[in-house]
């Protein structure tokens, strides 16, 4: 089920939850261009962290919505000045090297599908509200850049929450 959202330069071009043998996976892709300030930061050796968050809630008529799943995945993009290589690392897994920043950012724009919930975590046949967003995680930046990020629009890099419905299989 394709969905689209836009805020601060980040588009969510598609998002879907898939039922697989490993569990429920999130398939998502983004469209964006880095600001000049973010490109400069990477090429000067400052790693950037892009975090995708997903939440699944089940509506209940008699009480607050049940929070079924809350998961996040962070991708770290860095540049090694000595080897002239860009590195991308997904939290708890994949690490790759790239010759260009655009190639490294393709991993952020189209991250691999990842398990957000185990096989039995969702009730089959139940309808869930899914919310997805991605953005620059400024809390992982070095302290001086965290302060700068609060005052600079170049560093405000996030999407709005995008909502869609998923019926568990």
């Amino acid at each position: 089920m394709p969905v689209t959202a836009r805020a601060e330069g980040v588009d969510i071009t598609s998002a879907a939850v898939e039922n697989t043998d490993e569990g429920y996976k999130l398939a998502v892709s983004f469209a964006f261009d880095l600001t000049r300030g973010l490109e400069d930061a990477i090429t000067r050796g400052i790693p950037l962290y892009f975090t995708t968050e997903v939440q699944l809630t089940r509506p209940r008529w008699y009480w607050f919505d049940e929070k079924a799943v809350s998961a996040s995945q962070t991708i770290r993009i860095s540049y090694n000045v000595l080897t002239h290589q860009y590195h991308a690392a997904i939290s708890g897994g994949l690490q790759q090297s790239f010759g260009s920043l655009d190639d490294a950012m393709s991993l952020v724009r189209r991250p691999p599908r990842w398990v957000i919930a185990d096989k039995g975590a969702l009730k089959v046949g139940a309808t869930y509200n899914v919310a997805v967003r991605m953005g620059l995680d400024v809390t992982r930046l070095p302290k001086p850049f965290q302060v700068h990020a609060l005052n600079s629009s170049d560093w405000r890099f996030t999407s709005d929450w995008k909502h869609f419905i998923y019926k568990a299989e």
Side-chain angles (χ1 to χ4, degrees):
M1 162 181 293
V3 292
T4 305
R6 176 163 174 72
E8 299 294 335
V10 180
D11 286 327
I12 299 175
T13 56
S14 68
V17 175
E18 302 170 348
N19 184 6
T20 69
D21 293 339
E22 301 165 40
Y24 294 94
K25 289 187 173 186
L26 178 68
V28 65
S29 62
F30 307 99
F32 61 86
D33 290 318
L34 288 179
T35 63
R36 188 77 205 133
L38 293 178
E39 279 187 34
D40 287 346
I42 289 177
T43 56
R44 294 175 196 269
I46 299 162
L48 298 181
Y49 298 85
F50 297 92
T51 300
T52 302
E53 299 172 84
V54 61
Q55 296 176 353
L56 274 73
T57 56
R58 192 167 58 103
R60 296 189 285 200
W61 65 271
Y62 58 90
W63 196 246
F64 296 110
D65 292 351
E66 172 192 359
K67 290 190 178 178
V69 173
S70 184
S72 67
Q73 174 180 267
T74 300
I75 299 176
R76 177 183 187 261
I77 302 293
S78 60
Y79 179 67
N80 187 318
V81 180
L82 298 174
T83 62
H84 301 290
Q85 290 281 307
Y86 292 90
H87 302 282
I90 298 176
S91 52
L94 176 73
Q95 294 185 21
Q96 279 184 281
S97 294
F98 299 93
S100 75
L101 177 58
D102 200 46
D103 289 345
M105 292 308 297
S106 69
L107 194 62
V108 176
R109 289 182 181 106
R110 288 176 300 286
R113 290 169 168 76
W114 50 287
V115 177
I116 57 170
D118 293 332
K119 199 72 172 140
L122 303 180
K123 294 181 181 175
V124 176
T127 300
Y128 292 87
N129 296 323
V130 183
V132 179
R133 78 172 170 184
M134 187 275 289
L136 179 67
D137 188 352
V138 294
T139 62
R140 293 181 179 223
L141 294 171
K143 293 289 182 208
F145 289 95
Q146 287 182 20
V147 173
H148 180 68
L150 294 173
N151 300 321
S152 172
S153 62
D154 265 6
W155 292 78
R156 286 189 208 108
F157 194 78
T158 186
S159 71
D160 284 331
W161 283 102
K162 184 59 193 170
H163 301 272
F164 63 97
I165 304 294
Y166 174 71
K167 186 167 183 169
E169 302 169 357

